[in-house]
Amino acid sequence: MVCHDIDKAQSSKSGPSFYQVFKRDKMPLSNVKPNREYIKVRVQFGGALMPAFRRWLSDGEIKTLIDYMASK
């Protein structure tokens, strides 16, 4: 929650908001349709500006995080 908002559409944080991310046509900074596998890979391996979390989060924790994102 340091880099991304999830409770509002506009983010004042360094990363884009993930508010209702699974209802969008594309991810905030890419042309990819939001899906669980894409988000899992981004959390595990990071991206251009996002760090990788595979050493700190288990597969179960990542699944829980994605479930939480889907609930918003």
Side-chain angles (χ1 to χ4, degrees):
M1 302 320 279
V2 172
C3 296
H4 302 277
D5 278 312
I6 196 155
D7 293 321
K8 56 187 175 182
Q10 297 298 317
S11 180
S12 59
K13 298 181 180 181
S14 60
S17 174
F18 289 143
Y19 178 72
Q20 296 187 342
V21 72
F22 285 105
K23 294 179 182 178
R24 298 181 189 181
D25 292 329
K26 62 181 183 173
M27 293 295 293
L29 297 177
S30 73
N31 288 320
V32 176
K33 175 83 174 143
N35 65 69
R36 297 178 75 86
E37 187 61 29
Y38 179 83
I39 293 172
K40 178 183 175 183
V41 169
R42 282 290 155 249
V43 172
Q44 288 176 320
F45 299 101
L49 299 174
M50 182 175 160
F53 288 92
R54 68 184 177 273
R55 294 183 185 193
W56 295 277
L57 296 175
S58 69
D59 287 343
E61 289 169 325
I62 293 172
K63 180 187 178 305
T64 299
L65 174 65
I66 296 169
D67 289 345
Y68 176 71
M69 291 172 68
S71 76
K72 295 294 186 171

